mmCIF file with all atom_site columns, all heavy atoms in Angstrom:
data_model
loop_
_atom_site.group_PDB
_atom_site.id
_atom_site.type_symbol
_atom_site.label_atom_id
_atom_site.label_alt_id
_atom_site.label_comp_id
_atom_site.label_asym_id
_atom_site.label_entity_id
_atom_site.label_seq_id
_atom_site.pdbx_PDB_ins_code
_atom_site.Cartn_x
_atom_site.Cartn_y
_atom_site.Cartn_z
_atom_site.occupancy
_atom_site.B_iso_or_equiv
_atom_site.pdbx_formal_charge
_atom_site.auth_seq_id
_atom_site.auth_comp_id
_atom_site.auth_asym_id
_atom_site.auth_atom_id
_atom_site.pdbx_PDB_model_num
ATOM 1  N N   . TYR A 1 52  ? -7.670 -12.482 2.019   1.00 98.00 ? 518 TYR A N   1
ATOM 2  C CA  . TYR A 1 52  ? -7.544 -11.460 3.056   1.00 98.00 ? 518 TYR A CA  1
ATOM 3  C C   . TYR A 1 52  ? -7.556 -10.039 2.496   1.00 98.00 ? 518 TYR A C   1
ATOM 4  O O   . TYR A 1 52  ? -7.583 -9.078  3.261   1.00 98.00 ? 518 TYR A O   1
ATOM 5  C CB  . TYR A 1 52  ? -6.238 -11.674 3.829   1.00 98.00 ? 518 TYR A CB  1
ATOM 6  C CG  . TYR A 1 52  ? -6.143 -13.023 4.483   1.00 98.00 ? 518 TYR A CG  1
ATOM 7  C CD1 . TYR A 1 52  ? -5.539 -14.096 3.818   1.00 98.00 ? 518 TYR A CD1 1
ATOM 8  C CD2 . TYR A 1 52  ? -6.675 -13.246 5.743   1.00 98.00 ? 518 TYR A CD2 1
ATOM 9  C CE1 . TYR A 1 52  ? -5.461 -15.352 4.412   1.00 98.00 ? 518 TYR A CE1 1
ATOM 10 C CE2 . TYR A 1 52  ? -6.597 -14.502 6.345   1.00 98.00 ? 518 TYR A CE2 1
ATOM 11 C CZ  . TYR A 1 52  ? -5.992 -15.545 5.666   1.00 98.00 ? 518 TYR A CZ  1
ATOM 12 O OH  . TYR A 1 52  ? -5.930 -16.794 6.256   1.00 98.00 ? 518 TYR A OH  1
ATOM 13 N N   . ALA A 1 87  ? 9.461  4.430   -12.968 1.00 92.00 ? 553 ALA A N   1
ATOM 14 C CA  . ALA A 1 87  ? 9.096  4.387   -14.385 1.00 92.00 ? 553 ALA A CA  1
ATOM 15 C C   . ALA A 1 87  ? 7.628  4.049   -14.584 1.00 92.00 ? 553 ALA A C   1
ATOM 16 O O   . ALA A 1 87  ? 7.068  4.330   -15.649 1.00 92.00 ? 553 ALA A O   1
ATOM 17 C CB  . ALA A 1 87  ? 9.967  3.368   -15.109 1.00 92.00 ? 553 ALA A CB  1
ATOM 18 N N   . ALA A 1 195 ? 6.674  -4.806  1.110   1.00 97.00 ? 661 ALA A N   1
ATOM 19 C CA  . ALA A 1 195 ? 6.684  -5.313  -0.263  1.00 97.00 ? 661 ALA A CA  1
ATOM 20 C C   . ALA A 1 195 ? 5.272  -5.389  -0.840  1.00 97.00 ? 661 ALA A C   1
ATOM 21 O O   . ALA A 1 195 ? 5.053  -5.094  -2.022  1.00 97.00 ? 661 ALA A O   1
ATOM 22 C CB  . ALA A 1 195 ? 7.345  -6.694  -0.316  1.00 97.00 ? 661 ALA A CB  1
ATOM 23 N N   . VAL A 1 201 ? 0.907  -0.168  -4.893  1.00 98.00 ? 667 VAL A N   1
ATOM 24 C CA  . VAL A 1 201 ? 1.159  1.112   -5.558  1.00 98.00 ? 667 VAL A CA  1
ATOM 25 C C   . VAL A 1 201 ? 1.577  0.894   -7.007  1.00 98.00 ? 667 VAL A C   1
ATOM 26 O O   . VAL A 1 201 ? 1.053  1.549   -7.924  1.00 98.00 ? 667 VAL A O   1
ATOM 27 C CB  . VAL A 1 201 ? 2.243  1.921   -4.809  1.00 98.00 ? 667 VAL A CB  1
ATOM 28 C CG1 . VAL A 1 201 ? 2.603  3.192   -5.597  1.00 98.00 ? 667 VAL A CG1 1
ATOM 29 C CG2 . VAL A 1 201 ? 1.778  2.299   -3.413  1.00 98.00 ? 667 VAL A CG2 1
#
Side-chain angles (χ1 to χ4, degrees):
Y518 301 92
V667 174

